[in-house]
């Protein structure tokens, strides 16, 4: 005989499990970046000439364009969520917006990569100076987060393809876009501190 | 019953289970196994301290470098592979779902992955003993430049440097943090979203509150340490100079990042244990927990304070004296909320009809021993005294008087209390009492005299005191020997626990649902709770500590018992009087 467990009698959830979990994860991530940034600021404060003599300047203009590309990807995912909630339909133009987000994120990574190759050519490496060490570690850690973000968005794309209704996918859309907003949101801070300051 | 409900293979049921009770058990058993490893290391180096150069039974001879590795790994293992899995992950997994009245964690698969990543971290740590050069021996704080090999090699060979004791240690700790983070997210989301009907925030038992506060402290403070560890790992493996003063780096920076986590970590371990002790004191005093809400506010206050006192570990590292005063004052202030919590516990005991059960003895033993640790901490919080006592056995005795009660008295109190519920068998109380007295006596025997060794100026990082006979004299040499013999007896006493655990689990008497007449709702479930815990789910009508209410027949009223028309006015009268 098959017994069925009674459903739990629970209080109404104000916010979904996934959103709360993502908030705590991002708070921890934010503290991680805060640790890196404070280490950078403390070190810089103690060094009179920055960047050190003989080290190349960072590509400010190209990266400004790249910053705009990353912000555009956040706009794309915002529009995507708005559209898909208004009209859930697999393969419609809202999914194209998600693809746009992924492509913009990928472009950001590609431009960063080519800039890294050029910088290494100019003699800026992880061991050439503290300047180089901080640059590659902080920007590199962010790049790892972009890669993780792209993987999450790709997962979301698959998940939407496989869901029959909006209710199944809605929570995933919100939770995944939260992570992407974080990846995009932390970048201007890093750009300002590492490239402009 | 659970077997007929959910037919699952052995692997799904015990190994790759997503059930919070199985995961809690996996964490606890792994933690106990690592406690045996950490205890063995302690035995080896304590033996060496009392009888330097002698052949150590079951081990052999201990070299100076090995001594350093063993002390370092003893500390690391006891904090990250014993205290964290048992107190945070173990307690959290067993207690949160059952005490808030739900079936499982919010993300069961994430929970299972959390344990497997933790196990991987354990394997990486144990493997580090077998790489060339042995396990890391630069102290559990991993301060550079020592941990980065003194920056003698600016172009390290990546693979050689990666498979070194220092970098494997960092990797193992990082994996452990990932595991605890996954568990922690589960704890918080479960507590926020999965409480049973009627379980309002101020009806949640204290221990669940405290595990969640500990989780928040952990998640808030761990990020900067990971950032610091990433930079250290680059220094070791790639050859960057983040902490190398010769290249403009700053070694004190690592100390700040480390202790920004390291101090709050003390509260991460302390809070779950103190929470469990609170539950036990209330049950066996047959009295409501005194000032339950105030205790929660005090714990939140101490959580906030705990992240602004870290630099008291760096008084000797050359920080600005004005900063030192700030951190001194902060450190002494943080003892106020804890004094408040302990006074509330005393008030809970006051006038209660105390039942001297085994868990109660551990709870009372916790208070007695922890008091010594807390009071000597006040001495060290003052930077004037700290500079004298820095790196002496006084510090060693102090933190063992805080951590040992927290980890072991806290765990054993909880173990003897909740074993009947989660294993479904009764333990042998006589063996429990013998275990308690042996542990208490030999613990004090191990560490009490070391306070005097420290005050006498004995430095903690010397493996062979016979080389310094002009500074180390009697009685301190005898004290070292007493400490070592007590430590060996302390370790041997744990076999009583092991025997009791195994024989009771196998052929103990079947436990009833609520052997201690307790109120919290895990006691409403079967012993052991089946997969899904409750059927039907209980509805909660009252707070967790309705013991010995005036005008009631029974001296305890479980949380799932509704108020009757008669007892509501009585409650109101009582509240307005107090
Ligand atoms: Cu501290």
């Amino acid at each position: 005989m098959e017994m069925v467990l009674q459903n739990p009698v629970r209080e109404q959830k104000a916010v979904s499990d996934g959103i709360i979990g993502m908030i705590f994860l991002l708070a921890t991530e934010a503290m991680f970046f805060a640790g890196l940034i404070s280490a950078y600021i403390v070190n810089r404060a103690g060094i009179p000439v920055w960047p050190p003599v003989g080290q190349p300047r960072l590509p400010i203009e190209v990266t400004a364009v790249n910053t705009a590309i990353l912000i555009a990807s956040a706009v794309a995912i915002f529009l995507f969520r708005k559209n898909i909630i208004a009209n859930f339909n697999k393969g419609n133009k809202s999914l194209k917006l998600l693809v746009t987000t992924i492509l913009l994120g990928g472009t950001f990574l590609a431009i960063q990569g080519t800039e890294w190759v050029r910088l290494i050519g100019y003699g800026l490496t992880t061991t050439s100076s503290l300047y180089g060490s901080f640059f590659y570690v902080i920007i590199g850690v962010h790049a790892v987060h972009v890669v993780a973000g792209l993987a999450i968005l790709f997962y979301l794309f698959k998940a939407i393809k496989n869901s029959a209704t909006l209710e199944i996918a809605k929570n995933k859309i919100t939770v995944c876009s939260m992570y992407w907003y974080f990846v995009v949101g932390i970048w201007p801070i890093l750009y300002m501190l590492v490239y402009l300051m | 019953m659970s077997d007929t409900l959910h037919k699952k293979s052995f692997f799904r049921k015990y190994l790759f289970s997503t059930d919070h009770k199985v995961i809690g058990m996996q964490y606890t058993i792994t933690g106990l196994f690592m406690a045996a490893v950490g205890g063995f290391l302690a035995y080896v180096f304590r033996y060496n301290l009392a009888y330097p150069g002698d052949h150590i039974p079951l081990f052999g001879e201990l070299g100076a470098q090995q001594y350093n590795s063993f002390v370092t790994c003893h500390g690391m293992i006891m904090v990250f592979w014993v205290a964290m899995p048992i107190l945070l992950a173990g307690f959290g997994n067993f207690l949160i779902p059952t005490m808030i009245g739900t079936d499982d964690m919010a993300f069961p698969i994430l929970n299972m992955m959390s344990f497997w990543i933790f196990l991987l971290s354990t394997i990486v740590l144990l493997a580090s003993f077998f790489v060339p050069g042995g396990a890391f021996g630069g102290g559990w704080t991993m301060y550079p430049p020592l941990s980065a090999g003194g920056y003698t090699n600016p172009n390290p060979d990546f693979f050689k440097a990666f498979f070194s004791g220092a970098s494997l240690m960092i990797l193992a700790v990082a994996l452990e943090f990932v595991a605890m983070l996954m568990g922690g997210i589960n704890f918080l989301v479960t507590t926020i979203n999965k409480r049973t009907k009627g379980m309002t925030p101020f009806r949640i038992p204290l221990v669940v509150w405290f595990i969640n506060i500990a989780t928040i402290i952990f998640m808030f403070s761990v990020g900067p340490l990971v950032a610091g560890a990433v930079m250290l790992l680059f220094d070791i493996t790639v050859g960057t100079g983040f902490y190398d003063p010769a290249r403009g780096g700053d070694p004190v920076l690592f100390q700040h990042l480390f202790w920004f986590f390291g101090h709050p970590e003390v509260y991460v371990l302390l809070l779950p244990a103190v929470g469990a002790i609170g539950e036990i004191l209330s049950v066996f005093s047959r009295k409501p927990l005194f000032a339950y809400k105030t205790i929660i506010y005090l714990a939140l206050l101490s959580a906030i304070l705990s992240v602004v006192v870290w630099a008291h570990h760096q008084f000797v590292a050359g920080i600005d004296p004005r900063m030192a005063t700030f951190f001194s004052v902060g450190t002494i202030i943080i003892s106020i909320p804890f004094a408040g919590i302990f006074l509330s516990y005393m008030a809970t005991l006051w006038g209660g009809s105390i039942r001297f059960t085994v868990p109660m003895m551990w709870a009372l033993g916790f208070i007695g021993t922890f008091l010594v640790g807390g009071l000597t901490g006040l001495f060290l919080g003052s930077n004037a005294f700290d500079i004298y006592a820095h790196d002496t056995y006084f510090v060693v005795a102090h933190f063992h008087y805080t951590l040992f009660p927290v980890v072991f008295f806290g765990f054993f109190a909880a173990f003897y209390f909740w074993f009947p519920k989660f294993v479904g068998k009764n333990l042998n109380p006589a063996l429990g009492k013998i275990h308690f007295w042996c542990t208490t006596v030999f613990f004090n025997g191990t560490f009490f005299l070391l306070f005097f060794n420290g005050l006498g100026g004995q430095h903690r990082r010397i493996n062979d005191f016979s080389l310094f006979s002009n500074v180390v004299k009697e009685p301190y040499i005898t004290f070292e020997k007493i400490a070592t013999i007590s430590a060996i007896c302390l370790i041997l006493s744990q076999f009583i626990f092991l025997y009791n655990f195994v024989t009771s689990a196998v052929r103990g008497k079947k436990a009833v649902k609520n052997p201690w007449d307790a109120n919290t709702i895990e006691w409403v479930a079967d012993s052991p709770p089946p997969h899904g815990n409750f059927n039907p789910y209980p509805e909660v009508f009252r707070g967790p500590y309705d013991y010995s209410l005036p005008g009631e027949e029974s001296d305890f009223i479980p949380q799932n018992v509704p108020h009757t028309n008669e007892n509501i006015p009585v409650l109101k009268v009582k509240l307005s009087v107090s």
Side-chain angles (χ1 to χ4, degrees):
Chain A
M1 192 192 81
E2 189 72 10
M3 255 179 77
V4 181
L5 277 172
Q6 181 207 321
N7 276 331
V9 197
R10 283 187 204 136
E11 299 192 330
Q12 199 62 45
K13 290 179 189 181
V15 184
S16 83
D17 292 356
I19 292 175
I20 298 176
M22 190 47 94
I23 289 172
F24 284 118
L25 175 69
L26 293 181
T28 312
E29 290 265 40
M31 283 306 292
F32 169 63
F33 277 101
L36 278 181
I37 289 169
S38 60
Y40 171 71
I41 290 173
V42 165
N43 251 294
R44 264 212 55 180
I47 296 172
V49 186
W50 191 273
V53 185
Q55 288 284 285
R57 298 293 174 275
L58 296 174
I60 291 176
E61 293 79 13
V62 179
T63 315
V65 174
N66 214 4
T67 307
I69 291 174
L70 198 60
I71 291 171
S73 78
V75 175
I77 202 167
F78 172 79
L79 293 174
F80 156 71
R81 186 169 171 271
K82 212 175 132 197
N83 274 348
I84 201 160
I85 286 176
N87 175 26
F88 186 83
N89 186 3
K90 285 187 286 182
N92 71 0
K93 84 169 195 289
S94 29
L95 263 183
K96 277 184 198 144
L97 280 165
L98 179 58
V99 175
T100 312
T101 310
I102 295 174
L103 288 178
L104 285 171
T107 313
F108 172 84
L109 267 187
I111 294 177
Q112 287 286 78
T114 43
E115 288 305 314
W116 276 34
V117 172
R118 288 204 322 148
L119 284 169
I120 292 169
Y122 292 146
L124 186 73
T125 67
T126 48
T127 49
S128 65
S129 66
L130 212 55
Y131 177 63
S133 313
F134 269 113
F135 172 76
Y136 286 110
V137 167
I138 295 180
I139 305 303
V141 162
H142 181 263
V144 170
H145 280 77
V146 176
V147 172
L150 289 175
I152 288 174
L153 293 183
F154 188 71
Y155 158 82
L156 178 65
F157 180 81
K158 285 273 193 190
I160 293 172
K161 283 262 178 198
N162 294 332
S163 349
T165 65
L166 178 60
E167 278 318 303
I168 301 169
K170 195 175 166 186
N171 194 42
K172 279 182 185 149
I173 294 168
T174 308
V175 174
C176 295
S177 50
M178 279 168 76
Y179 189 86
W180 191 251
Y181 286 137
F182 176 81
V183 169
V184 175
I186 195 106
W187 175 253
I189 302 170
L190 299 180
Y191 176 62
M192 219 176 65
L193 285 170
V194 177
Y195 288 78
L196 300 183
M197 235 172 73
Chain B
M1 179 184 167
S2 62
D3 296 27
T4 54
L5 275 177
H6 302 267
K7 272 208 164 58
K8 282 188 174 150
S9 74
F10 174 82
F11 283 99
R12 289 282 295 147
K13 206 162 165 232
Y14 294 106
L15 233 44
F16 295 100
S17 171
T18 55
D19 185 62
H20 69 99
K21 299 178 292 292
V22 177
I23 294 167
M25 186 64 87
Q26 288 169 330
Y27 262 119
T28 308
I29 301 273
T30 316
L32 288 176
F33 170 75
M34 291 307 279
V37 175
F40 181 75
L41 297 178
Y43 152 75
V44 171
F45 67 71
R46 276 272 15 135
Y47 197 97
N48 179 75
L49 282 167
Y51 308 100
D54 279 17
H55 179 92
I56 300 162
L58 298 176
F59 181 74
E61 249 148 66
L62 186 72
Q65 181 52 40
Q66 247 183 333
Y67 173 88
N68 287 338
S69 290
F70 279 28
V71 175
T72 301
C73 291
H74 166 76
M76 274 286 180
I77 287 174
M78 289 304 190
V79 171
F80 293 115
W81 281 274
V82 178
M84 290 290 273
I86 292 179
L87 296 180
L88 198 64
F91 282 21
N93 268 305
F94 275 120
L95 299 180
I96 289 176
T98 49
M99 289 183 108
I100 63 171
T102 191
D103 54 345
D104 206 333
M105 289 289 175
F107 308 111
I109 294 175
L110 190 71
N111 205 20
M112 178 189 77
M113 279 159 59
S114 155
F115 173 75
W116 287 99
I117 290 176
F118 172 74
L119 195 69
L120 182 65
S121 81
T122 313
I123 293 165
V124 172
L125 177 85
L126 292 175
S128 81
F129 277 92
F130 303 101
V131 295
F136 180 61
W140 82 284
T141 52
M142 307 204 80
Y143 282 177
L146 185 60
S147 54
Y151 293 104
T152 47
N153 181 4
N155 288 310
D157 170 18
F158 180 82
F159 284 100
K160 223 177 120 195
F162 186 79
F163 290 102
S164 69
S167 100
L168 287 183
M169 179 74 90
I170 295 174
L171 194 68
V173 173
L175 285 169
E176 205 257 5
F177 288 163
V178 171
M180 292 298 149
L181 185 64
M182 291 163 108
I185 287 174
N186 249 323
F187 295 170
L188 291 164
V189 175
T190 306
T191 311
I192 291 169
N193 261 357
K194 292 195 74 179
R195 302 190 306 273
T196 190
K197 198 175 173 197
M199 184 62 86
T200 57
F202 285 114
R203 285 179 185 165
I204 297 176
L206 190 72
V207 66
V208 176
W209 264 102
F210 274 22
I211 293 168
N212 279 287
I213 296 173
T215 306
I216 290 174
I217 301 176
F218 173 77
M219 287 170 59
F220 182 80
S221 61
V222 76
L225 172 65
V226 174
V230 167
M231 291 191 280
L232 182 58
L233 197 60
F234 268 84
D235 277 10
I236 294 170
T237 55
V238 180
T240 53
F242 287 113
Y243 305 116
D244 180 8
R247 283 181 277 169
D250 182 2
V252 178
L253 173 68
F254 182 83
Q255 301 189 6
H256 281 291
L257 294 170
F258 181 89
W259 287 112
F260 182 79
F261 168 81
H263 186 82
E265 170 70 8
V266 174
Y267 299 88
V268 174
L269 306 179
L270 177 61
L271 284 171
V274 170
I277 300 290
E279 303 291 334
I280 292 164
L281 287 177
S282 174
V283 169
F284 296 115
S285 304
R286 314 309 295 163
K287 272 185 67 192
L289 193 63
F290 186 84
Y292 157 77
K293 267 193 196 178
T294 311
I295 294 176
I296 291 167
Y297 291 133
L298 286 172
L300 288 169
L301 177 66
S302 72
I304 294 164
L305 286 173
S306 76
V307 292
V308 293
V309 298
W310 75 89
H312 61 210
H313 296 274
Q314 297 159 246
F315 287 152
V316 181
I319 60 168
D320 189 318
R322 286 161 299 183
M323 293 252 289
T325 308
F326 169 79
F327 284 109
S328 248
V329 171
T331 303
I332 292 168
I333 285 177
I334 204 171
S335 61
I336 295 174
F338 273 97
I341 292 173
F342 276 82
L343 284 174
S344 304
Y345 282 10
M346 295 298 148
T348 305
L349 292 170
W350 188 264
S353 40
I354 291 173
R355 294 182 185 171
F356 277 105
T357 57
V358 179
M360 185 61 162
M361 289 169 78
W362 285 101
L364 296 172
F366 169 85
I367 289 180
T369 41
F370 189 80
L371 195 65
V372 179
L375 290 179
T376 51
L378 282 180
F379 292 30
L380 291 170
S382 139
N383 58 342
F385 177 79
D386 181 68
I387 287 169
Y388 174 72
H390 181 82
D391 256 354
T392 66
Y393 274 90
F394 190 89
V395 176
V396 174
H398 155 69
F399 68 69
H400 280 93
Y401 262 98
T402 56
L403 283 174
F404 192 94
V406 166
V407 180
F408 292 102
F409 282 65
F411 166 67
F412 287 134
F415 174 84
Y416 286 101
F417 187 61
W418 278 293
F419 185 91
K421 170 54 60 192
F422 289 107
V423 181
K425 301 284 177 68
N426 285 332
L427 287 158
N428 179 336
L431 284 176
K433 283 178 187 172
I434 297 170
H435 176 219
F436 168 77
W437 284 113
C438 288
T439 305
T440 307
V441 168
F442 294 127
F443 163 70
N444 285 289
T446 308
F447 292 107
F448 195 77
L449 293 173
L450 293 183
F451 280 121
F452 299 99
N453 282 28
L455 290 175
Q458 206 175 358
H459 196 272
R460 67 189 264 209
R461 301 199 197 274
I462 292 167
N463 71 319
D464 185 352
F465 280 104
S466 62
L467 302 171
F468 300 90
S469 52
N470 54 336
V471 288
V472 181
K473 297 197 174 80
E474 286 296 355
Y476 304 122
I477 299 165
T478 314
F479 286 0
E480 284 283 357
K481 287 183 180 152
I482 294 173
T484 296
I485 293 162
S486 299
I488 293 169
C489 296
L490 178 62
I491 293 168
L492 291 178
S493 312
Q494 305 318 309
F495 284 98
I496 306 168
F497 155 75
L498 197 67
Y499 175 81
N500 198 357
F501 186 169
V502 173
T503 52
S504 304
V506 174
R507 50 184 160 87
K509 222 180 111 234
K510 179 113 184 56
V512 294
K513 267 192 185 183
N514 191 357
W516 313 114
D517 299 340
N519 283 346
T520 44
I521 51 172
E522 79 273 27
W523 302 104
V524 174
D526 289 339
S527 301
H531 195 83
N533 298 335
F534 299 97
N535 195 15
Y537 285 83
E539 187 174 346
V540 167
F541 298 95
R542 51 177 77 234
Y545 306 112
D546 281 355
Y547 293 105
S548 307
L549 289 189
E552 289 291 334
E553 235 166 69
S554 164
D555 75 343
F556 72 107
I557 311 168
Q559 286 189 279
N560 64 335
V561 175
H563 289 283
T564 57
N565 286 334
E566 300 92 71
N567 69 15
I568 289 172
V570 176
L571 258 179
K572 273 188 185 149
V573 170
K574 202 197 164 243
L575 283 174
S576 61
V577 169
S578 62

